[in-house]
Amino acid sequence: MATKVYIGGGAGFADERPDAVEILVGTLERRNGPRYIILETLAERTLALAQLERRRNPDAGYTPQLGAFLRPILTRCVTAGIRIVCNSGAANPRAAAALVFGIARELGLEGLRVGLIEGDDLLGMVSEQEIRAWPTIEGLPLGDEPLIAANVYLGARPIAEALNLGAHMVITGRCTDSALVLGPLISEFGWTETDWDLLAAGTLAGHLLECSAQVSGGYFADPGYKDVPDLGRIGFPIGEVEADGRLVITKADDTGGLVSTATVTEQLLYEMHDPAAYVVPDVVLDVTAVRLEEAGPNRVAVTGARGRPRPETLKATLSVEGGFLAEGEITYAGPNALARAELAAQVLAERLRIVGIQCPTRIDLIGAVSSFDGDSGTMRRRGEFPNDGEYRVRLAGNAPDKLTADRIANEVIGLYSTGPGGGGGVRKGVTGRVQTRSVLLGRDLVKPTVEILAEAPL
């Protein structure tokens, strides 16, 4: 039985830096004992987009960056005994596994074993009528919008099972982010389903590592108030977890960034609605008695996590089509720029009325006030800003269909020849939107499966 496990947080979202993972692997290669890399690449919205992509192409629907993450590290990890756990399967874990085996063939890597976890996709197990009847706990009630996806958050046990069966790499779809860390700890330490304090400690480790560099100074720096050295070379985090639940957060060797009680505190409270009851499928975590202590340069010891029995229900995310976001921008700079930008905004507002746009729209003057203003622009009209300067006019609309969205965005393009003088840097975009709602369902409805693959799945 292992006494200490090293787990590196290699990705906190789908478009993370692949080179940071290589550096992290380099550090883990110099450690002894069980070692893991986790890739957390799945948000609610990205999963829904992956489901749409799978509809268009049955061989797609996994994290597009997965290949970029794996090519530089796969052989090194297998050779060094560093196991990889990821939720990059998204809407299509089986296709992700096929990609991994294709990369292994490119690299001449033989003997790879991939653990495949499925069972989070509820559309294949529960009727849409039944899904629509579940009450929402977050988001607007479900109407008659087309249902794109319904995925339940799986826990850590299937990951542990796949590792116990000898997988070099585990691929899941939707699971709780922290399960990517708790799964290896359950596998290595043999924690039971009622070791609540230990499961809580493992969940806390996962929560601190799941957002990659956020715990090592990313999304923390504020010059003059919270300085972080060498942010361009920020090191991704490593958790050192012992069998009794003791945890040290540190980072990759010889990198920038910062691990301190302040950075760990910020990540500890990140997306935590109730510090006394952070609910995941395996346990209810209470962090109100957690203590942080500097244990050396860029090392913070974390103790005091407490756990209570797991919930009787599981959370699922429902994704529905949400119309289209229309955007267009144009810049006015130099003498009298503010007056020209205001005139452009007036023209756009009038044009929307003339062509009969009824959906919600918003016009900003970036450089005056925009982030803090409402859709009405009241703060901008009451404020005083330099007339000479640089202002970017942004028009956005929440359109019910793509045709309407294109029409809104094209009004900004039209300012080239019909608006104030000197406009430049025009761009437009139309993006399909996905809305999500959260529901709770009984555990008995969820049957995760674990399969060990030694070759690409059919």
Side-chain angles (χ1 to χ4, degrees):
M1 191 73 70
T3 58
K4 181 185 288 188
V5 176
Y6 299 86
I7 302 179
F13 65 105
D15 295 315
E16 196 70 88
R17 300 172 180 169
D19 60 305
V21 185
E22 293 182 63
I23 296 169
L24 198 55
V25 169
T27 297
L28 291 178
E29 285 172 330
R30 294 187 288 273
R31 301 293 187 269
N32 295 316
R35 293 150 296 166
Y36 292 83
I37 289 284
I38 67 161
L39 303 174
E40 197 294 287
T41 60
L42 197 57
E44 286 77 5
R45 179 175 173 275
T46 53
L47 177 55
L49 295 175
Q51 292 281 11
L52 289 174
E53 188 62 28
R54 184 182 185 182
R55 288 185 184 181
R56 289 188 284 267
N57 177 4
D59 295 326
Y62 53 84
T63 300
Q65 279 270 73
L66 180 58
F69 286 126
L70 291 181
R71 282 188 177 86
I73 67 168
L74 185 58
T75 299
R76 290 173 62 187
C77 285
V78 172
T79 301
I82 301 169
R83 302 164 93 177
I84 303 169
V85 181
C86 73
N87 55 11
S88 307
N92 200 348
R94 200 163 285 270
L99 172 78
V100 173
F101 280 105
I103 293 172
R105 283 194 298 274
E106 292 173 18
L107 300 172
L109 178 63
E110 298 181 348
L112 181 68
R113 291 166 61 86
V114 174
L116 182 68
I117 297 172
E118 296 177 301
D120 63 298
D121 188 347
L122 297 171
L123 291 181
M125 297 184 291
V126 184
S127 71
E128 185 168 329
Q129 183 179 14
E130 187 175 356
I131 290 172
R132 288 182 179 278
W134 292 334
T136 56
I137 59 169
E138 290 176 338
L140 299 172
L142 195 63
D144 57 359
E145 308 96 329
L147 189 61
I148 299 172
N151 292 84
V152 65
Y153 285 81
L154 300 179
R157 293 284 161 186
I159 295 173
E161 181 181 345
L163 294 169
N164 290 342
L165 292 172
H168 296 104
M169 176 176 182
V170 178
I171 300 174
T172 80
R174 180 76 279 171
C175 67
T176 56
D177 298 347
S178 58
L180 301 176
V181 169
L182 181 59
L185 297 175
I186 291 172
S187 172
E188 295 290 348
F189 297 139
W191 292 344
T192 72
E193 292 188 350
T194 56
D195 284 334
W196 304 121
D197 286 343
L198 296 175
L199 296 173
T203 298
L204 178 55
H207 178 66
L208 293 173
L209 295 172
E210 70 189 33
C211 295
S212 66
Q214 281 190 196
V215 75
S216 53
Y219 208 61
F220 173 86
D222 192 353
Y225 298 94
K226 299 185 295 180
D227 293 313
V228 176
D230 205 2
L231 198 56
R233 296 178 56 256
I234 191 167
F236 279 28
I238 295 172
E240 301 174 358
V241 190
E242 300 192 43
D244 60 3
R246 283 181 294 171
L247 164 68
V248 169
I249 296 293
T250 182
K251 64 182 181 69
D253 295 343
D254 304 319
T255 58
L258 174 70
V259 176
S260 68
T261 54
T263 67
V264 176
T265 298
E266 283 204 6
Q267 180 59 25
L268 175 69
L269 299 176
Y270 178 74
E271 291 185 341
M272 184 165 286
H273 295 177
D274 182 354
Y278 185 73
V279 182
V280 296
D282 301 285
V283 67
V284 176
L285 165 64
D286 180 350
V287 303
T288 56
V290 165
R291 295 288 180 269
L292 308 180
E293 183 179 358
E294 304 277 356
N298 291 305
R299 293 178 64 83
V300 172
V302 184
T303 56
R306 298 180 299 196
R308 300 199 301 276
R310 68 186 191 183
E312 294 300 320
T313 55
L314 297 175
K315 178 181 173 181
T317 299
L318 310 183
S319 302
V320 298
E321 294 182 8
F324 291 83
L325 172 64
E327 294 177 285
E329 295 181 1
I330 186 169
T331 293
Y332 296 91
N336 209 31
L338 179 60
R340 286 182 285 131
E342 288 283 10
L343 177 57
Q346 293 170 20
V347 170
L348 289 172
E350 185 175 0
R351 284 294 304 165
L352 295 177
R353 285 194 295 272
I354 290 172
V355 300
I357 298 298
Q358 300 294 324
C359 60
T361 59
R362 173 185 173 113
I363 300 175
D364 289 300
L365 262 61
I366 300 171
V369 62
S370 54
S371 297
F372 292 111
D373 209 353
D375 290 353
S376 63
T378 303
M379 292 179 66
R380 189 182 82 235
R381 286 195 294 275
R382 291 177 178 173
E384 294 185 3
F385 309 98
N387 199 35
D388 300 341
E390 181 175 322
Y391 299 95
R392 189 158 177 84
V393 179
R394 176 179 182 267
L395 168 64
N398 186 11
D401 56 78
K402 189 171 184 302
L403 185 64
T404 303
D406 281 327
R407 192 161 193 178
I408 293 170
N410 283 339
E411 287 297 334
V412 179
I413 303 296
L415 291 177
Y416 257 143
S417 60
T418 59
V426 175
R427 77 159 189 93
K428 73 164 190 175
V430 171
T431 309
R433 308 189 80 172
V434 174
Q435 296 179 352
T436 62
R437 292 95 165 91
S438 297
V439 298
L440 296 177
L441 64 151
R443 287 179 176 271
D444 57 326
L445 294 174
V446 181
K447 309 293 183 186
T449 63
V450 178
E451 185 177 354
I452 301 298
L453 305 174
E455 58 184 22
L458 297 176

